[in-house]
Amino acid sequence: MAGRLIYLIGPSGSGKDSLLDAAREQLTAKGACIARRVITRSAEATGEAAMAVSAAQFEQMREEGAFALHWQANGLQYGIPRIIDQWLEQGHDVLVNGSRGHLAQARLRYPQLQVVLLSVAQDVLRQRLLARGRETPEEVEARLARNARFASEAREADPRLLLLDNSGPLAETVARLLAHLHQ
Ligand SMILES: Nc1ncnc2c1ncn2[C@@H]1O[C@H](COP(=O)(O)OP(=O)(O)O)[C@@H](O)[C@H]1O
Ligand SMILES: O=P(O)(O)OC[C@H]1O[C@H](OP(=O)(O)OP(=O)(O)O)[C@H](O)[C@@H]1O
């Protein structure tokens, strides 16, 4: 039986990477797989279990069909490796740190994908992004503006989606994600 594709979305800084990292051990123990993103940012600034490549390398990988999904956001290119199709065929659940902007296209390719939407109050979000220290204050504001643009879309989102608030402790968000996946 095919596995489920869990497409995790939410504003920059809402905790997508943190959630996947914190849940990694328990998820893999249950046979789930977490996609490793390919991103055109430097390895130092990747700050996660992602593969950093140059724009030229990304383009070559894209042309060779290396990606199941790929998109552009925040001035960067993001790719989800093709191996997820094999994992899904083998019956593994697959979790992807996805893009809100790419959701419609992702659904075309994976009509059964399940959306998990992380949310965090905007002021908490600003503080977390600044504290993360990866972007400049201007880049943080651009991410917050991008978030605002998606806010209305989220309200009319897929009724089957799981809405996860991550304004509280990360461990609680992890527990709610695992409970949802195992129910
Ligand atoms: N529940 C939480 N409580 C406090 N800080 C959090 C929580 N979740 C994430 N963070 C912090 O917020 C920042 C942004 O999280 P990150 O996982 O990088 O978000 P995203 O992948 O969605 O951009 C990181 O510094 C992270 O440590
Ligand atoms: O369309 P959006 O929902 O805004 O998403 C744009 C991109 O931002 C996130 O990546 P990344 O983790 O690189 O960025 P972030 O850490 O700044 O959120 C997410 O995984 C997308 O790849």
Side-chain angles (χ1 to χ4, degrees):
M1 194 183 84
R4 299 172 293 179
L5 180 62
I6 314 298
Y7 190 81
L8 178 62
I9 52 173
S12 180
S14 57
K16 300 179 294 297
D17 287 333
S18 303
L19 176 60
L20 291 177
D21 274 348
R24 184 176 303 273
E25 213 170 295
Q26 285 160 282
L27 287 170
T28 51
K30 293 276 185 190
C33 300
I34 300 173
R36 184 171 185 233
R37 293 185 297 169
V38 177
I39 308 179
T40 56
R41 68 177 163 223
S42 73
E44 304 79 59
T46 304
E48 60 171 297
M51 179 182 174
V53 297
S54 69
Q57 284 172 315
F58 189 97
E59 186 51 26
Q60 190 183 341
M61 291 176 82
R62 193 190 62 75
E63 279 173 12
E64 289 169 359
F67 303 128
L69 296 169
H70 62 91
W71 58 86
Q72 188 170 11
N74 302 321
L76 301 168
Q77 301 277 356
Y78 299 83
I80 302 296
R82 202 55 180 268
I83 185 115
I84 70 164
D85 289 337
Q86 200 176 313
W87 291 340
L88 290 167
E89 276 165 29
Q90 290 168 346
H92 297 283
D93 285 344
V94 174
L95 290 97
V96 167
N97 178 343
S99 158
R100 294 163 295 176
H102 194 69
L103 175 57
Q105 291 100 308
R107 262 220 184 85
L108 286 178
R109 174 149 182 170
Y110 300 97
Q112 307 300 327
L113 70 78
Q114 295 188 14
V115 179
V116 174
L117 175 64
L118 266 193
S119 67
V120 175
Q122 189 90 332
D123 53 338
V124 177
L125 199 54
R126 178 179 283 106
Q127 290 314 314
R128 284 189 191 167
L129 284 170
L130 290 171
R132 180 170 70 177
R134 198 180 69 199
E135 289 84 23
T136 64
E138 291 74 25
E139 286 171 333
V140 165
E141 290 310 314
R143 277 168 164 72
L144 290 169
R146 181 174 172 82
N147 181 28
R149 283 204 303 279
F150 281 108
S152 56
E153 207 177 275
R155 277 195 292 275
E156 59 196 48
D158 177 353
R160 294 169 309 152
L161 69 70
L162 172 67
L163 184 59
L164 267 187
D165 184 70
N166 187 37
S167 304
L170 186 58
E172 288 180 12
T173 315
V174 169
R176 277 183 278 128
L177 173 67
L178 293 171
H180 172 76
L181 295 180
H182 300 150
Q183 76 192 2

